[in-house]
Amino acid sequence: MKILIVAATEEELHPSLSFLAERQIEYLITGVGMVACSYALSKRLQNGRVDLLIQVGIGGILDREAALGEVYQIVQDEIFEMGAEDRENFLTIEQLGLGAHQFYELIDAVPKSIPFAKKAQAITVNKVHGRESSIARLRIRYTKPLIESMEGASFFYVALQEGIAALQFRAVSNYVEPRNRAAWNIGLAVGNMNSFLQELIKSLV
Ligand SMILES: O=C(O)c1cccc(C(=O)CC[C@H]2O[C@@H](n3cnc4c(=O)[nH]cnc43)[C@H](O)[C@@H]2O)c1
């Protein structure tokens, strides 16, 4: 099975680089954001077959009770607020009849026995939430565990277009809260993400 590991930045994958090299598992660094992710992944997929895409990275979590560092399996991801304002209402791209904003993991080719991670839904943003009022609106709209990233939905979108199995995992580096960069624990999240990734790969190859 040809696996491609996808991450936005090399920092997020750094602890696994020698592990991946030893096992001849290919990885792709896409850059941050939906446009960079879509471009880099599409370009790579034009150059050869892949059976399974695995995106790993860090992300924010809305739930203040959740533990920083925990790894989540993202089962559903959406391009946040893709649509149109209609005065006080919001119309999704589906409601406008112009496309889709909600995408899902694709697990047909994935063995059942992969390591356990809590499941979460996610939103993918161009602008990281950092204002009290917009975060309060998120809390009303989303009741299940919610992770925020800047690439996830575009990753699922490309996988769907190409018909390739795709899994996404995010370790929590920070809470979705008024901007507080000093409170991010990127080291913990990257460490846990990579330990999980290595267990996952061992279960697959
Ligand atoms: O310092 C900032 O305010 C800031 C604003 C935008 C991006 C960053 C980054 O460091 C890149 C974030 C990188 O990690 C993912 N990530 C991590 N936490 C979040 C989040 O709360 N919301 C959205 N994305 C997040 C993201 O996928 C990027 O690749 C710093």
Side-chain angles (χ1 to χ4, degrees):
M1 177 166 45
K2 171 75 181 167
I3 299 173
L4 178 67
I5 309 299
V6 178
T9 64
E10 186 162 316
E11 185 188 0
E12 287 165 293
L13 212 48
H14 193 259
S16 294
L17 293 183
S18 55
F19 174 92
L20 295 174
E22 279 161 25
R23 286 161 182 77
Q24 295 181 304
I25 307 263
E26 187 185 345
Y27 68 91
L28 176 72
I29 304 299
T30 62
V32 170
M34 285 184 264
V35 172
C37 177
S38 302
Y39 174 73
L41 184 53
S42 302
K43 191 174 177 189
R44 163 60 190 84
L45 294 177
Q46 285 169 1
N47 289 326
R49 182 187 63 87
V50 169
D51 301 307
L52 175 61
L53 295 163
I54 301 174
Q55 188 180 51
V56 294
I58 59 173
I61 194 159
L62 188 59
D63 180 2
R64 296 287 319 193
E65 305 299 312
L68 291 185
E70 182 141 22
V71 175
Y72 286 81
Q73 181 174 350
I74 308 301
V75 295
Q76 172 189 336
D77 206 325
E78 69 179 74
I79 303 174
F80 183 70
E81 290 192 339
M82 187 181 188
E85 290 180 343
D86 180 9
R87 293 158 191 85
E88 297 314 308
N89 298 317
F90 177 74
L91 300 172
T92 64
I93 201 80
E94 283 89 348
Q95 288 167 320
L96 295 170
L98 294 175
H101 76 299
Q102 192 98 252
F103 304 99
Y104 301 88
E105 66 175 5
L106 294 162
I107 51 173
D108 290 354
V110 179
K112 297 261 180 293
S113 57
I114 63 172
F116 173 79
K118 284 184 189 166
K119 312 279 185 280
Q121 74 177 100
I123 56 173
T124 304
V125 296
N126 285 317
K127 182 174 69 176
V128 172
H129 282 89
R131 190 193 307 144
E132 204 74 77
S133 57
S134 62
I135 296 166
R137 279 201 296 278
L138 282 183
R139 290 193 190 287
I140 294 167
R141 218 151 112 185
Y142 298 95
T143 48
K144 292 186 187 148
L146 185 78
I147 303 275
E148 179 177 278
S149 86
M150 300 180 79
E151 301 84 20
S154 59
F155 167 77
F156 280 163
Y157 173 80
V158 173
L160 178 66
Q161 294 302 310
E162 296 293 325
I164 301 172
L167 293 168
Q168 182 190 164
F169 297 92
R170 295 266 163 191
V172 176
S173 52
N174 59 282
Y175 297 107
V176 175
E177 63 179 347
R179 189 167 185 274
N180 183 12
R181 197 63 159 75
W184 287 33
N185 196 336
I186 293 178
L188 176 68
V190 168
N192 289 354
M193 186 68 261
N194 280 271
S195 301
F196 183 89
L197 174 64
Q198 292 177 22
E199 289 312 306
L200 176 63
I201 288 172
K202 285 182 206 159
S203 78
L204 292 170
V205 296

